[in-house]
Amino acid sequence: MPDWIERGYQILSAKITDASSEGLPRDRAREELLAHGEFPDEPSDAEYAIDHLLNSGWLYEVDGSLRITDPNLKPDEF
């Protein structure tokens, strides 16, 4: 997995964990990635990273909110 997508997972997993059991709305997740200084600032990159994390099973989506598939996994266990 590309480093910048791994970094996206680290950013999102921290935000999702801080959010609540409801997860993090997808549009808010995109905003969080774009606002973070260590992530590319292109909206298409944020969407690609979210889609890649969903398709690879690291995140899942319920009613438009992103959640971590296995909260016990650390980002370095990709």
Side-chain angles (χ1 to χ4, degrees):
M1 182 175 298
D3 290 343
W4 64 277
I5 293 179
E6 271 189 56
R7 184 66 190 136
Y9 177 76
Q10 293 170 346
I11 295 165
L12 292 178
S13 63
K15 295 295 180 181
I16 291 168
T17 301
D18 290 344
S20 71
S21 61
E22 300 285 321
L24 188 67
R26 188 180 178 117
D27 58 339
R28 173 89 188 275
R30 184 178 54 249
E31 292 169 9
E32 292 290 345
L33 289 176
L34 294 173
H36 200 280
E38 295 183 29
F39 190 83
D41 60 356
E42 289 293 321
S44 60
D45 289 336
E47 282 298 325
Y48 181 83
I50 291 169
D51 287 341
H52 190 79
L53 291 167
L54 287 166
N55 291 334
S56 64
W58 289 99
L59 298 178
Y60 67 101
E61 190 170 5
V62 175
D63 296 328
S65 289
L66 302 177
R67 299 178 186 185
I68 302 168
T69 301
D70 185 351
N72 296 320
L73 284 179
K74 303 293 182 229
D76 60 343
E77 295 177 334
F78 276 100

